[in-house]
Amino acid sequence: MTPLARTGPAQKAMRKNDWLARAVLLMVAFLAAGCGFQLRSWDLPSAFQSAHIAADASVTIDAGLRRALEQAGLVLAVDQSDAGAVIRLSDQRELRRGVSTTRGARTAEYEMTLSLVFAAQDGEGNEVVSERRISADRTFRLDQNNPAATREEQALIALELENELVQQIMLTLSAVSRADQT
């Protein structure tokens, strides 16, 4: 008897579960498509063909912003005179402060805040986004028994904060791009 010829109750149940899982997946896909869900994308090339990032030495998010701009379809210009948009980043600050304590007066939770000053100009030097400070923050628990895990969590949170600032910049540029089209 071949393995395919065996159709016991377990095999029938597995085929029924397979069918059910596929049906649920298909239903979720239809619901997502029907509600207008789509992956986030940025329509920046319609307003700016290229961009130049002018970042101070204190800024560490410029690499993430470069990636996001390239993924949005912009060409990164080496010289700002060749760019359709000049994005200025400066005065990046990271702040960590205790927000709660234990009974023994030790810090139990920290709040991390990452902020920077951001502005943008078009290729002709006109101000597109006025200079503003943007920020992101997260609160995390301090594990007194595992300082290595706390350091790792803090490093992950720092990356999340950088990504959030990049998203804020991209949202602002996208809003400017849409406003220019109307």
Side-chain angles (χ1 to χ4, degrees):
M1 186 186 250
T2 64
L4 294 176
R6 288 185 228 154
T7 57
Q11 285 84 11
K12 287 181 183 178
M14 281 179 37
R15 272 188 267 147
K16 186 176 181 180
N17 286 343
D18 253 3
W19 178 85
L20 185 61
R22 288 181 182 160
V24 168
L25 184 62
L26 189 60
M27 188 172 62
V28 168
F30 280 130
L31 287 173
C35 74
F37 172 79
Q38 61 183 10
L39 292 175
R40 180 181 288 176
S41 63
W42 313 106
D43 186 28
L44 297 179
S46 62
F48 316 109
Q49 295 300 317
S50 60
H52 173 78
I53 300 173
D56 286 356
S58 68
V59 175
T60 61
I61 73 160
D62 54 331
L65 183 58
R66 286 185 210 301
R67 276 191 306 278
L69 291 170
E70 286 175 338
Q71 288 173 350
L74 264 70
V75 175
L76 293 177
V78 176
D79 188 28
Q80 70 184 41
S81 62
D82 299 333
V86 178
I87 302 163
R88 301 195 184 285
L89 308 173
S90 62
D91 195 26
Q92 181 173 324
R93 297 179 188 172
E94 185 177 313
L95 174 68
R96 189 180 82 159
R97 66 182 188 96
V99 292
S100 68
T101 58
T102 64
R103 289 182 189 171
R106 299 178 104 185
T107 304
E109 289 181 321
Y110 278 109
E111 178 185 60
M112 278 184 65
T113 303
L114 184 65
S115 67
L116 65 85
V117 175
F118 153 67
Q121 300 172 330
D122 64 11
E124 296 153 7
N126 300 320
E127 186 176 80
V128 176
V129 178
S130 61
E131 189 172 276
R132 62 186 67 184
R133 179 166 289 281
I134 58 174
S135 66
D137 56 56
R138 296 277 188 289
T139 303
F140 67 97
R141 282 199 172 285
L142 180 66
D143 187 352
Q144 300 288 345
N145 299 322
N146 194 348
T150 300
R151 282 192 302 274
E152 286 179 25
E153 184 175 4
Q154 188 173 344
L156 285 172
I157 289 172
L159 285 174
E160 286 178 8
L161 294 175
E162 286 184 5
N163 288 334
E164 189 171 326
L165 290 182
V166 167
Q167 294 301 313
Q168 287 182 35
I169 292 169
M170 295 297 288
L171 280 169
T172 303
L173 293 175
S174 181
V176 167
S177 174
R178 282 193 306 271
D180 285 348
Q181 292 175 358
T182 57

